[in-house]
């Protein structure tokens, strides 16, 4: 299950007013999530995604996902990671040009996959997004000005 979504476009995000000021035509399609899972389940989630590429660069036409604790901070000593609380459950996501429903389905199956691995069969309800606003913000990107311009030019 997704624990938190960090996206300046959400009204309850502390950077929402700044985001609206500096991105008046719409925010970029980059956000972060944390999962309610252990380290092994997070790795399983990442490996179960089919549409998201595991990359450290962002701004591609493809949808990308990365786990900073396993990619950017690999050379930092474990003691420092623990001291500065580099969270294994934290993922950065960049949305590309794929179909939004396919991306939501891919993230959802990844969540179900890590939840099945984390819990004994039928010991907990099916995983869900923490609330509907977290799922709806993905859908809202498909009204993004860049996407509309791309569609108009094709």
């Amino acid at each position: 299950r997704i624990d938190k979504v960090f996206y300046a476009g959400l009204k309850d995000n502390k950077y929402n007013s700044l985001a609206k000021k500096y991105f008046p035509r719409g925010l970029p399609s980059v956000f972060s999530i944390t999962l309610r899972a252990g380290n092994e389940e997070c790795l399983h989630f990442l490996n179960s995604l089919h549409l998201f590429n595991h990359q450290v660069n962002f701004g591609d036409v493809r949808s990308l996902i990365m786990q900073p604790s396993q990619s950017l901070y690999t050379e930092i000593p474990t003691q420092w990671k623990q001291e500065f609380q580099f969270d294994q459950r934290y993922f950065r996501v960049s949305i590309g040009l794929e179909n939004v429903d396919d991306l939501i389905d891919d993230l959802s199956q990844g969540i179900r996959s890590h939840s099945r691995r984390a819990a004994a069969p039928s010991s907990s309800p099916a995983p869900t997004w923490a609330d509907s606003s977290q799922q709806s913000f993905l859908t809202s990107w498909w009204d993004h000005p860049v996407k509309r311009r791309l569609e108009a030019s094709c």
Side-chain angles (χ1 to χ4, degrees):
R1 180 175 148 120
I2 293 178
D3 188 32
K4 292 181 184 175
V5 173
F6 304 93
Y7 178 63
L10 294 174
K11 290 180 183 175
D12 63 348
N13 185 286
K14 66 182 178 180
Y15 300 110
N16 184 262
S17 61
L18 288 174
K20 287 179 181 178
K21 177 181 176 181
Y22 292 112
F23 296 98
R25 296 174 67 191
L27 275 74
S29 57
V30 176
F31 63 97
S32 299
I33 60 173
T34 56
L35 298 179
R36 288 187 186 161
N39 295 346
E40 193 173 314
E41 290 83 23
C42 286
L43 183 60
H44 186 72
F45 161 76
L46 189 64
N47 290 330
S48 71
L49 298 175
H50 303 290
L51 295 178
F52 288 85
N53 290 290
H54 305 173
Q55 302 287 330
V56 294
N57 64 310
F58 283 116
D60 203 311
V61 296
R62 300 168 298 165
S63 292
L64 308 170
I65 189 166
M66 68 172 293
Q67 189 180 22
S69 65
Q70 296 299 316
S71 52
L72 297 178
Y73 310 123
T74 55
E75 295 188 23
I76 294 176
T78 304
Q79 179 184 353
W80 288 12
K81 288 181 187 180
Q82 292 169 347
E83 183 179 339
F84 294 108
Q85 299 176 349
F86 289 105
D87 196 343
Q88 300 276 344
R89 304 169 307 133
Y90 181 79
F91 295 88
R92 292 182 186 161
V93 183
S94 174
I95 302 299
L97 299 178
E98 298 90 350
N99 179 284
V100 68
D101 294 325
D102 293 341
L103 294 173
I104 291 171
D105 288 346
D106 195 31
L107 286 172
S108 296
Q109 72 78 28
I111 293 165
R112 284 191 303 273
S113 175
H114 100 69
S115 293
R116 279 194 303 270
R117 187 172 171 88
S122 71
S123 66
S124 63
T128 59
W129 292 78
D131 63 51
S132 61
S133 69
Q134 292 178 354
Q135 184 172 357
S136 67
F137 82 91
L138 263 180
T139 306
S140 71
W141 277 328
W142 298 116
D143 191 34
H144 193 280
V146 172
K147 181 183 183 284
R148 289 196 304 264
R149 277 185 281 171
L150 284 170
E151 289 175 336
S153 67
C154 292

